[in-house]
Every structure is written in structure tokens, then in C-alpha cells.
Short mmCIF file of all heavy atoms in Angstrom, two decimals:
data_model
loop_
_atom_site.label_atom_id
_atom_site.label_comp_id
_atom_site.label_asym_id
_atom_site.label_seq_id
_atom_site.Cartn_x
_atom_site.Cartn_y
_atom_site.Cartn_z
N HIS T 1 -38.53 -62.99 21.81
CA HIS T 1 -37.49 -63.72 22.28
C HIS T 1 -37.47 -65.15 21.77
O HIS T 1 -36.33 -65.78 22.03
CB HIS T 1 -37.40 -63.55 23.76
CG HIS T 1 -37.03 -62.36 24.34
ND1 HIS T 1 -35.73 -61.97 24.50
CD2 HIS T 1 -37.62 -61.21 24.72
CE1 HIS T 1 -35.58 -60.83 25.01
NE2 HIS T 1 -36.77 -60.21 24.98
N GLU T 2 -38.31 -65.63 21.14
CA GLU T 2 -38.49 -67.03 20.60
C GLU T 2 -38.21 -66.80 19.19
O GLU T 2 -39.02 -66.27 18.60
CB GLU T 2 -39.67 -67.68 21.01
CG GLU T 2 -40.00 -67.90 22.39
CD GLU T 2 -38.97 -68.67 23.19
OE1 GLU T 2 -38.42 -69.76 22.60
OE2 GLU T 2 -38.70 -68.37 24.36
N TRP T 3 -37.10 -67.61 18.63
CA TRP T 3 -36.86 -67.52 17.13
C TRP T 3 -36.61 -68.96 16.64
O TRP T 3 -35.99 -69.79 17.16
CB TRP T 3 -35.56 -66.69 16.98
CG TRP T 3 -35.77 -65.32 17.21
CD1 TRP T 3 -35.89 -64.58 18.45
CD2 TRP T 3 -35.96 -64.18 16.28
NE1 TRP T 3 -35.98 -63.35 18.39
CE2 TRP T 3 -36.07 -63.02 17.00
CE3 TRP T 3 -35.95 -64.13 14.91
CZ2 TRP T 3 -36.26 -61.88 16.42
CZ3 TRP T 3 -36.20 -63.07 14.31
CH2 TRP T 3 -36.34 -61.82 15.07
N GLU T 4 -37.32 -69.15 15.57
CA GLU T 4 -37.05 -70.43 14.85
C GLU T 4 -35.76 -70.31 13.96
O GLU T 4 -35.42 -69.16 13.64
CB GLU T 4 -38.20 -70.70 13.78
CG GLU T 4 -39.47 -70.95 14.54
CD GLU T 4 -39.52 -72.24 15.46
OE1 GLU T 4 -38.93 -73.21 15.01
OE2 GLU T 4 -40.09 -72.23 16.50
N PRO T 5 -35.19 -71.31 13.79
CA PRO T 5 -33.82 -71.28 12.91
C PRO T 5 -33.81 -70.45 11.72
O PRO T 5 -33.03 -69.65 11.32
CB PRO T 5 -33.33 -72.70 12.82
CG PRO T 5 -34.01 -73.44 13.77
CD PRO T 5 -35.28 -72.62 14.13
N GLU T 6 -34.91 -70.59 10.91
CA GLU T 6 -35.10 -69.98 9.64
C GLU T 6 -35.30 -68.42 9.87
O GLU T 6 -34.89 -67.68 9.09
CB GLU T 6 -36.15 -70.63 8.69
CG GLU T 6 -37.56 -70.76 9.32
CD GLU T 6 -37.73 -71.96 10.20
OE1 GLU T 6 -36.78 -72.87 10.18
OE2 GLU T 6 -38.74 -72.12 10.71
N ASP T 7 -35.87 -68.10 10.88
CA ASP T 7 -36.16 -66.74 11.26
C ASP T 7 -34.80 -65.97 11.63
O ASP T 7 -34.59 -64.91 11.35
CB ASP T 7 -37.15 -66.46 12.28
CG ASP T 7 -38.57 -67.04 11.86
OD1 ASP T 7 -38.93 -66.88 10.66
OD2 ASP T 7 -39.41 -67.38 12.74
N LEU T 8 -34.03 -66.64 12.44
CA LEU T 8 -32.72 -66.19 12.77
C LEU T 8 -31.90 -66.00 11.54
O LEU T 8 -31.26 -64.83 11.45
CB LEU T 8 -31.96 -67.25 13.67
CG LEU T 8 -32.32 -67.27 15.07
CD1 LEU T 8 -31.63 -68.40 15.72
CD2 LEU T 8 -32.00 -65.91 15.87
N ILE T 9 -31.82 -66.94 10.75
CA ILE T 9 -31.02 -66.73 9.41
C ILE T 9 -31.57 -65.48 8.69
O ILE T 9 -30.69 -64.80 8.20
CB ILE T 9 -31.29 -68.03 8.64
CG1 ILE T 9 -30.50 -69.13 9.46
CG2 ILE T 9 -30.60 -67.84 7.28
CD1 ILE T 9 -30.66 -70.53 8.73
N GLU T 10 -32.86 -65.43 8.46
CA GLU T 10 -33.48 -64.27 7.64
C GLU T 10 -33.15 -62.99 8.29
O GLU T 10 -32.74 -62.02 7.54
CB GLU T 10 -34.95 -64.56 7.60
CG GLU T 10 -35.69 -63.36 6.73
CD GLU T 10 -37.18 -63.64 6.60
OE1 GLU T 10 -37.64 -64.82 6.77
OE2 GLU T 10 -37.86 -62.64 6.40
N VAL T 11 -33.28 -62.79 9.58
CA VAL T 11 -33.13 -61.49 10.26
C VAL T 11 -31.86 -61.27 10.77
O VAL T 11 -31.43 -60.06 10.82
CB VAL T 11 -34.28 -61.48 11.45
CG1 VAL T 11 -33.98 -60.13 12.32
CG2 VAL T 11 -35.55 -61.64 10.94
N TRP T 12 -31.11 -62.19 11.41
CA TRP T 12 -29.93 -61.93 12.19
C TRP T 12 -28.53 -62.25 11.47
O TRP T 12 -27.46 -62.17 11.92
CB TRP T 12 -29.92 -62.61 13.41
CG TRP T 12 -30.99 -62.09 14.39
CD1 TRP T 12 -32.34 -62.49 14.54
CD2 TRP T 12 -30.89 -61.12 15.21
NE1 TRP T 12 -33.05 -61.76 15.40
CE2 TRP T 12 -32.06 -60.72 15.82
CE3 TRP T 12 -29.82 -60.04 15.48
CZ2 TRP T 12 -32.27 -59.78 16.88
CZ3 TRP T 12 -30.01 -59.10 16.51
CH2 TRP T 12 -31.21 -58.96 17.01
N THR T 13 -28.77 -62.63 10.10
CA THR T 13 -27.48 -63.02 9.32
C THR T 13 -26.81 -61.77 8.87
O THR T 13 -27.39 -60.78 8.36
CB THR T 13 -27.86 -63.90 7.99
OG1 THR T 13 -28.32 -65.03 8.56
CG2 THR T 13 -26.62 -64.04 7.14
N LEU T 14 -25.52 -61.67 9.15
CA LEU T 14 -24.69 -60.50 8.88
C LEU T 14 -24.42 -60.61 7.40
O LEU T 14 -23.75 -61.63 6.82
CB LEU T 14 -23.39 -60.48 9.65
CG LEU T 14 -23.63 -60.27 11.15
CD1 LEU T 14 -22.32 -60.57 11.95
CD2 LEU T 14 -24.01 -58.75 11.29
N LEU T 15 -24.61 -59.57 6.62
CA LEU T 15 -24.32 -59.43 5.29
C LEU T 15 -22.84 -59.10 5.03
O LEU T 15 -22.20 -58.68 5.93
CB LEU T 15 -25.20 -58.48 4.44
CG LEU T 15 -26.78 -58.84 4.65
CD1 LEU T 15 -27.60 -57.77 3.93
CD2 LEU T 15 -27.10 -60.24 4.16
N GLU T 16 -22.48 -59.09 3.79
CA GLU T 16 -20.99 -58.68 3.45
C GLU T 16 -20.69 -57.38 3.91
O GLU T 16 -19.59 -57.02 4.49
CB GLU T 16 -20.85 -58.84 2.00
CG GLU T 16 -19.28 -58.89 1.63
CD GLU T 16 -19.01 -59.21 0.19
OE1 GLU T 16 -19.68 -60.20 -0.39
OE2 GLU T 16 -18.29 -58.46 -0.48
N GLU T 17 -21.62 -56.39 3.74
CA GLU T 17 -21.42 -54.98 4.08
C GLU T 17 -21.36 -54.86 5.64
O GLU T 17 -20.75 -54.04 6.21
CB GLU T 17 -22.51 -53.98 3.47
CG GLU T 17 -23.67 -54.25 3.78
CD GLU T 17 -24.50 -54.98 2.67
OE1 GLU T 17 -23.84 -55.70 1.94
OE2 GLU T 17 -25.77 -54.99 2.59
N ASP T 18 -22.15 -55.69 6.36
CA ASP T 18 -22.18 -55.75 7.79
C ASP T 18 -20.81 -56.14 8.33
O ASP T 18 -20.25 -55.55 9.17
CB ASP T 18 -23.28 -56.65 8.32
CG ASP T 18 -24.67 -56.30 7.90
OD1 ASP T 18 -24.96 -54.98 7.67
OD2 ASP T 18 -25.57 -57.30 7.85
N GLN T 19 -20.19 -57.29 7.67
CA GLN T 19 -18.99 -57.79 8.13
C GLN T 19 -17.97 -56.79 7.93
O GLN T 19 -17.09 -56.58 8.64
CB GLN T 19 -18.81 -59.05 7.32
CG GLN T 19 -19.59 -60.33 7.55
CD GLN T 19 -19.31 -60.92 9.00
OE1 GLN T 19 -18.39 -60.55 9.69
NE2 GLN T 19 -19.95 -62.02 9.17
N GLU T 20 -18.05 -55.96 6.85
CA GLU T 20 -17.18 -55.03 6.47
C GLU T 20 -17.07 -53.80 7.53
O GLU T 20 -16.03 -53.40 7.93
CB GLU T 20 -17.23 -54.38 5.16
CG GLU T 20 -16.46 -53.24 4.74
CD GLU T 20 -14.94 -53.75 4.52
OE1 GLU T 20 -14.71 -55.02 4.32
OE2 GLU T 20 -13.96 -53.05 4.74
N ARG T 21 -18.23 -53.52 8.07
CA ARG T 21 -18.30 -52.63 9.23
C ARG T 21 -17.61 -52.98 10.48
O ARG T 21 -17.32 -52.24 11.30
CB ARG T 21 -19.79 -52.21 9.45
CG ARG T 21 -20.38 -51.43 8.49
CD ARG T 21 -21.96 -51.01 8.72
NE ARG T 21 -22.51 -50.29 7.70
CZ ARG T 21 -23.40 -50.94 6.80
NH1 ARG T 21 -23.70 -52.08 6.91
NH2 ARG T 21 -23.91 -50.24 5.90
N LEU T 22 -17.52 -54.36 10.58
CA LEU T 22 -17.05 -54.96 11.96
C LEU T 22 -15.55 -55.15 11.73
O LEU T 22 -14.94 -55.62 12.79
CB LEU T 22 -17.75 -56.21 12.12
CG LEU T 22 -19.43 -56.04 12.28
CD1 LEU T 22 -19.91 -57.48 12.49
CD2 LEU T 22 -19.55 -55.18 13.61
N ARG T 23 -14.84 -55.05 10.60
CA ARG T 23 -13.56 -55.57 10.40
C ARG T 23 -12.55 -55.01 11.45
O ARG T 23 -11.54 -55.66 11.72
CB ARG T 23 -13.11 -55.31 9.04
CG ARG T 23 -12.89 -53.88 8.61
CD ARG T 23 -12.24 -53.68 7.29
NE ARG T 23 -12.49 -52.50 6.57
CZ ARG T 23 -12.02 -51.33 7.06
NH1 ARG T 23 -11.55 -51.17 8.24
NH2 ARG T 23 -12.25 -50.23 6.23
N ASN T 24 -12.75 -53.85 11.87
CA ASN T 24 -11.79 -53.20 12.70
C ASN T 24 -12.13 -53.29 14.23
O ASN T 24 -11.51 -52.64 15.16
CB ASN T 24 -11.52 -51.67 12.47
CG ASN T 24 -12.86 -50.90 12.70
OD1 ASN T 24 -13.89 -51.42 12.80
ND2 ASN T 24 -12.62 -49.63 12.79
N LYS T 25 -12.94 -54.21 14.59
CA LYS T 25 -13.43 -54.44 16.02
C LYS T 25 -13.16 -55.85 16.49
O LYS T 25 -13.08 -56.76 15.62
CB LYS T 25 -14.95 -54.17 16.17
CG LYS T 25 -15.35 -52.71 15.77
CD LYS T 25 -16.83 -52.62 15.64
CE LYS T 25 -17.31 -51.14 15.37
NZ LYS T 25 -16.71 -50.70 14.16
N ALA T 26 -12.91 -56.07 17.67
CA ALA T 26 -12.57 -57.44 18.37
C ALA T 26 -13.39 -57.58 19.53
O ALA T 26 -13.88 -56.69 20.15
CB ALA T 26 -11.09 -57.50 18.36
N GLY T 27 -13.52 -58.88 19.95
CA GLY T 27 -14.07 -59.25 21.08
C GLY T 27 -15.53 -58.85 21.48
O GLY T 27 -16.32 -58.74 20.45
N ALA T 28 -15.64 -58.29 22.53
CA ALA T 28 -16.98 -57.82 22.99
C ALA T 28 -17.45 -56.70 22.09
O ALA T 28 -18.64 -56.67 21.80
CB ALA T 28 -17.05 -57.41 24.50
N ASN T 29 -16.59 -55.79 21.67
CA ASN T 29 -16.93 -54.70 20.75
C ASN T 29 -17.53 -55.14 19.48
O ASN T 29 -18.38 -54.64 18.83
CB ASN T 29 -15.85 -53.71 20.65
CG ASN T 29 -15.68 -52.83 21.96
OD1 ASN T 29 -16.66 -52.56 22.59
ND2 ASN T 29 -14.35 -52.36 22.06
#
């Protein structure tokens, strides 16, 4: 549950294909 900023960037950054998967979703979804 504890994350350093560089770890967040490495693990939790959404890549372009991730963003594409989300394109038809809004808000909480």
C-alpha cells in the first residue's frame, strides 16, 4: 500500500493501448 512516485509511474502508468481500452467508458466505470 506504500508506493514511491517512481514506482507508481513504473507500475500504474496507463499505456496507449490501455487508454484505447478505456475510450468508451466514463466516470466511475
